[in-house]
Amino acid sequence: MDRFDQMSVLVAVVDGGSFSAAGRALGMPLATVSRKVADLEANLGTRLLSRTTRQLALTEAGRTYVAACRQILERVEEAERVAAGEYAVPRGELVISAPIVFGRLHVLPVVSAFLAAYPEIRIRLALSDRVVDLVDDHVDIALRIGALGDSRLVARTVGIIRPVLCASPAYLGRSGRPADPDDLAGHAVVAFEGALSSTAWSFGEPPNQRRVTVAPRLVVNTAEAAIDAAIAGVGITRVLSYQVEAALRSGALECVLEAFAPAAWPVSLVHAGQGLAPRKLGAFMDFAAPRLKARLVEAARAGKPIDQT
């Protein structure tokens, strides 16, 4: 048991980036953390960590050993979940990842309803626009927007979204409404650097897809800022349909060039699908998928920016 304890402490040190961070995460005195790692190194007869006053790094032996530790600890944890009945009834903790805006608007309400229905499950919802690695980041379920590049993932499609172009009624009244993507050359454009390119905009679907190069007057780094600028009348912006749903619903923005709608992006719930799946994972997938699909359909009806299949 001491060896498992030492492994857990070592992994916590690596994940936290320092002995003090590991101590806080484990509720353990700094001296105890340091001693356990030192005892482990002494038992193995090799250094696992390279320590300086500024940083902590794994040695070559340490990288190999920590990777093995993670596998061993995960197997022990899985065995404990089986023994505790987590695979028989939905209980325990779920770690879920989702993009920031989509997660706040759509995933969080579904999570709230799920927690009310399953009182023995706890959820940690991590909202980030970074595409997480489910295994390395210890994420149970992720919501992904766009084509899935990892064929190892088990996916359930819950709907589609599209990039949409929109502008304020004031801007369109002042500058006119573009009738063709090429007309954008004569318009002020607000772009954001993110999932969508800020200068090369696609229209239509393959094999008749067109790409138009735009010269933005304003480039921002969040969709929210691009939407705010468009509402203020700065110009035409392109964002994902769910990001602009509220502004379309209220009439603060209007869609343009709808006849040239770009190709749709799938929205999927994914999980790693390794080993025996606990009931909590299946319960959330079954609960969330139809509700997310319904929310996307309702969003499409509200602003009419997307189609649904």
Side-chain angles (χ1 to χ4, degrees), residues 129 190-194 219-228 237 239 243:
D129 290 333
V190 178
F192 84 97
E193 299 170 327
V219 179
V220 295
N221 65 349
T222 69
E224 292 90 339
I227 292 167
D228 288 345
T237 194
V239 291
Q243 295 168 331

Side-chain angles (χ1 to χ4, degrees), residues 170-253:
Y171 173 84
L172 295 174
R174 182 174 71 248
S175 302
R177 184 180 294 268
D180 185 90
D182 289 336
D183 294 344
L184 292 173
H187 282 270
V189 167
V190 178
F192 84 97
E193 299 170 327
L196 299 169
S197 168
S198 61
T199 58
W201 290 5
S202 298
F203 295 89
E205 301 197 25
N208 301 314
Q209 194 170 63
R210 295 168 57 186
R211 291 177 68 84
V212 174
T213 299
V214 296
R217 289 202 65 199
L218 174 64
V219 179
V220 295
N221 65 349
T222 69
E224 292 90 339
I227 292 167
D228 288 345
I231 291 173
V234 176
I236 298 173
T237 194
R238 185 181 67 151
V239 291
L240 294 175
S241 52
Y242 72 87
Q243 295 168 331
V244 77
E245 174 194 343
L248 293 173
R249 189 191 298 269
S250 69
L253 292 177

